[in-house]
Amino acid sequence: AYAPVIGWLREAYPELFDHPALAERLAVYDALWELTQLMNYPAAHPRDTAGRLAAILAGRAPWKAMLAI
């Protein structure tokens, strides 16, 4: 669903993807977002914020496959 957007961004703003620590940088942003969401969604919510955060911390963030990192 987001794959075309990633391609468009990469074409329009290649410097964004050339960051030497892109995966680590995105993981920090993603983890911060999930921590913020923990304040809004209870642990048992179907969104599974805690599970998403655990995946990020374990290096299994879903966006990694889209960026081929």
Side-chain angles (χ1 to χ4, degrees), residues 3 8 15 17-21 23 29-32 37 47-48 56 60 65 68-69:
W8 299 331
E15 305 85 39
F17 295 88
D18 289 339
H19 192 281
Y29 291 143
D30 201 8
L32 179 59
Q37 294 309 300
R47 186 180 186 286
D48 190 24
I56 295 164
R60 298 186 317 268
I69 295 175

Side-chain angles (χ1 to χ4, degrees), residues 17-40:
F17 295 88
D18 289 339
H19 192 281
L22 179 61
E24 294 82 0
R25 184 179 193 178
L26 291 174
V28 168
Y29 291 143
D30 201 8
L32 179 59
W33 174 251
E34 294 304 336
L35 286 169
T36 302
Q37 294 309 300
L38 278 175
M39 296 174 63
N40 299 309

